[in-house]
Amino acid sequence: MRLMGNITQSDEIVIDGYIVKDNLKEKVTLKIDTGFTGYDVAIPSNIAQKLGLNPSGYANFSTPSGNIPLATGNDAYLCLGNNKYGVTYVIHYGAYPLISNSFLKKISEIMVIDFTNYSVIIILK
């Protein structure tokens, strides 16, 4: 399965998908974050609230402002193309959902980045 993405004017790689819990679904554009590790996705708090996510713990994260505790859980799914993945997540206070590079490594075979046409192709397993 091929997943198409884009490179934004600020050089961020983004892909479209859905974050799902039970029968609720939220369309999102995820930024690929190469520095985000330990969890599969970071979900903004407003989306987590809309979906009724139930975090099961907390973890400390290092930010430019210092260490902060953020809620974590695993009761959500990420839909990319026709594929649905159970994900671990952290709820953050940023504006955009993030997908970790380490999660993409688990679910994809190859990622082709075309800087000339500002496009990305991810071949999912």
Side-chain angles (χ1 to χ4, degrees):
M1 152 126 231
R2 285 180 178 234
L3 182 63
M4 304 300 291
N6 296 304
I7 301 171
T8 67
Q9 288 184 346
S10 54
D11 295 328
E12 296 170 316
I13 298 173
V14 296
I15 57 176
D16 290 330
Y18 292 89
I19 299 173
V20 178
K21 175 158 188 255
D22 301 327
N23 60 349
L24 299 174
K25 180 164 61 167
E26 185 75 20
K27 184 173 175 46
V28 294
T29 298
L30 299 130
K31 291 182 183 182
I32 297 174
D33 189 334
T34 57
F36 171 49
T37 60
Y39 292 85
D40 300 327
V41 293
I43 302 171
S45 58
N46 64 323
I47 294 173
Q49 186 174 21
K50 282 183 192 177
L51 295 173
L53 296 182
N54 296 311
S56 56
Y58 284 86
N60 284 317
F61 287 84
S62 180
T63 71
S65 303
N67 288 335
I68 58 169
L70 296 175
T72 62
N74 63 358
D75 61 330
Y77 292 88
L78 179 62
C79 295
L80 299 172
N82 294 327
N83 297 355
K84 184 176 179 181
Y85 306 95
V87 292
T88 61
Y89 63 82
V90 59
I91 297 174
H92 72 108
Y93 300 100
Y96 299 100
L98 307 173
I99 187 168
S100 72
N101 197 44
S102 57
F103 179 67
L104 276 178
K105 284 182 188 178
K106 289 191 288 189
I107 66 168
S108 66
E109 293 182 17
I110 191 167
M111 180 170 22
V112 178
I113 302 172
D114 180 350
F115 289 104
T116 303
N117 294 309
Y118 300 97
S119 65
V120 176
I121 299 171
I122 301 171
I123 307 296
L124 299 173
K125 294 180 181 177

